[in-house]
Amino acid sequence: MTTEGSATLTTTGNDDEAGDTLGTESGTTGPKLDMSAEESGAEGNPCAETTGGGGLAEIAFSNIWIANSPEGTVSRVDTVTGEHVGRYATGPNNASDPSRTTVNLQGDVAVLNRQGSVIKIAAEEDRCVDLNDDGIIQTSTNDTALGWGVDECIVWEVPLHPGARAAAWDSGSDPESEDCEGIPSLWVSALDAQNTIHVWRLAGTDGAEEGHATMPNWAGAQEWGGLYGGAVDKGRNFWAIGKDDPALFRTDFDTMEITRYDAPQGVGRLYGIAMDKDGNPYATAEFDNRLLRFNADSETWEDLATIQGTLRGLAVDGLGDAWVATNGNCGLAHYHLADGTVDTITLPECNIPVGVSIDVDGFVWVVDQWAGAPPFGRAHKLDPLDYTVEFTVMGFDTPYTYSDMTGAGLDLVSYPPVG
């Protein structure tokens, strides 16, 4: 079921309420985003930890998952060391064309293939499946992928329509249960040949369908796959953007009802989407130099900033600041919510940065699809305070990933049970 929202546009000034400040925590390797329960939006939430979020902090590793689209693989990189700790085929051949990677609070990843499927890769061997019953889990541990059907940490595959794009895990937190513990669900979407949008909620354990909604008569082009990118809020509802049918769509977790909110006037195409800690989607207007935020409570759009260049993927940190990949005016833009200013950051060998994500230690990662010499592609790790490049990771194949490839975006809006 689809309903029309009543979105309007407002313009922000430079007097936005400031967020907290960046600081450091003992025992960490870099800047952290410290927030109280009230600041994080966790106050009153029965599933909240005292500081809000924190699911990824309980995991003994921190990874970023980057899709090598033309190769049909996904790379797993340790965000602390920059080492490749795994590479996985995402289909029987390179035609699988992976793009979106989304990470849950256990560190597992779902990889959406534009060929028309989604797979889940378990991040720890105790969640992998010994397919040949030899007592050993066969899985990649370096920059070499095993053959399709060989790696036993690829635990399930679900077919979708060709051209599939938007995908996002939810937290699994369940305030209705005694201990708040639940099982994460995976949201995916695809456009069929009859121009009908499909949105599915899949069980994280085995990919079984938990919910399904349709939206017929899609006005956008088939080549963009319908809903283009997605994120979830702390109520586990799925938000996604239409690219060339520029609008924001919310799918309700319980009812699967889809509500449409048209983009502000003058926006020809949307591209990136990310969620802030309060459950408000940020979006980039690809060719219109506009960074937007949708207030989910008032159902109004806000023009946050003008950013020069073609705007691609973005990430939002705990302060409400946005980090936006820019093409043309090649680099990274940092929007400060506190005062509305924008910093322009130069990237080494900059060519076509597409995706931005934040790791568990607060560092900002930018994936540049065509940087460097063949094989093209670089991933840069930046300090969010002084913008220095901590290191650059190579060894990709023209990587295209612009979703929540570390899980930090989900962590920002999630409150897993303590312990």
Side-chain angles (χ1 to χ4, degrees), residues 112-133:
L112 189 139
N113 293 312
R114 285 177 289 208
Q115 167 269 338
S117 65
V118 61
I119 66 169
K120 177 186 174 183
I121 305 173
E124 295 186 299
E125 288 193 9
D126 61 0
R127 293 194 295 276
C128 302
V129 179
D130 185 6
L131 298 174
N132 59 4
D133 293 321

Side-chain angles (χ1 to χ4, degrees), residues 46-341:
C47 296
E49 296 187 316
T50 56
T51 58
L56 292 175
E58 302 301 318
I59 298 176
F61 55 85
S62 175
N63 296 154
I64 185 168
W65 300 78
I66 298 173
N68 303 293
S69 302
E71 186 183 82
T73 68
V74 61
S75 292
R76 177 184 181 181
V77 174
D78 186 310
T79 63
V80 177
T81 67
E83 295 179 358
H84 289 256
V85 292
R87 199 178 192 110
Y88 309 84
T90 67
N93 52 56
N94 60 7
S96 58
D97 196 13
S99 64
R100 286 29 169 193
T101 63
T102 175
V103 181
N104 66 26
L105 298 183
Q106 288 74 50
D108 301 333
V109 70
V111 184
L112 189 139
N113 293 312
R114 285 177 289 208
Q115 167 269 338
S117 65
V118 61
I119 66 169
K120 177 186 174 183
I121 305 173
E124 295 186 299
E125 288 193 9
D126 61 0
R127 293 194 295 276
C128 302
V129 179
D130 185 6
L131 298 174
N132 59 4
D133 293 321
D134 65 354
I136 301 171
I137 294 297
Q138 299 180 73
T139 187
S140 174
T141 57
N142 51 35
D143 199 22
T144 301
L146 305 182
W148 178 245
V150 176
D151 197 304
E152 294 175 325
C153 286
I154 300 175
V155 293
W156 54 253
E157 177 190 31
V158 173
L160 305 171
H161 298 289
R165 293 295 201 282
W169 284 102
D170 69 24
S171 66
S173 297
D174 182 7
E176 299 300 320
S177 69
E178 184 175 339
D179 58 4
C180 294
E181 187 173 359
I183 299 173
S185 297
L186 176 68
W187 293 91
V188 292
S189 177
L191 177 67
D192 69 20
Q194 289 71 46
N195 288 331
T196 293
I197 295 283
H198 296 260
V199 177
W200 294 273
R201 194 179 76 244
L202 305 178
T205 50
D206 58 7
E209 183 179 305
E210 295 180 335
H212 179 214
T214 59
M215 187 167 52
N217 304 315
W218 180 249
Q222 277 277 338
E223 66 178 305
W224 305 122
L227 301 182
Y228 197 69
V232 297
D233 61 25
K234 55 191 169 186
R236 303 176 67 183
N237 306 299
F238 180 58
W239 295 78
I241 53 162
K243 185 174 181 176
D244 57 344
D245 185 3
L248 181 66
F249 300 85
R250 177 189 182 275
T251 306
D252 186 271
F253 179 87
D254 294 313
T255 67
M256 296 299 294
E257 180 181 57
I258 301 174
T259 303
R260 174 186 175 120
Y261 302 97
D262 288 324
Q265 186 175 5
V267 172
R269 210 152 89 168
L270 295 173
Y271 191 92
I273 181 172
M275 194 72 63
D276 73 8
K277 62 183 175 61
D278 298 315
N280 300 310
Y282 284 50
T284 55
E286 186 174 8
F287 299 127
D288 301 306
N289 309 123
R290 295 165 72 178
L291 174 65
L292 306 167
R293 179 175 62 185
F294 185 78
N295 187 305
D297 290 331
S298 64
E299 298 185 336
T300 59
W301 286 98
E302 302 166 297
D303 247 322
L304 294 181
T306 297
I307 299 176
Q308 297 303 316
T310 300
L311 308 188
R312 307 293 291 272
L314 78 158
V316 178
D317 64 27
L319 308 181
D321 288 5
W323 303 80
V324 182
T326 62
N327 298 172
N329 185 28
C330 195
L332 178 69
H334 177 197
Y335 163 76
H336 299 264
L337 178 63
D339 59 11
T341 59

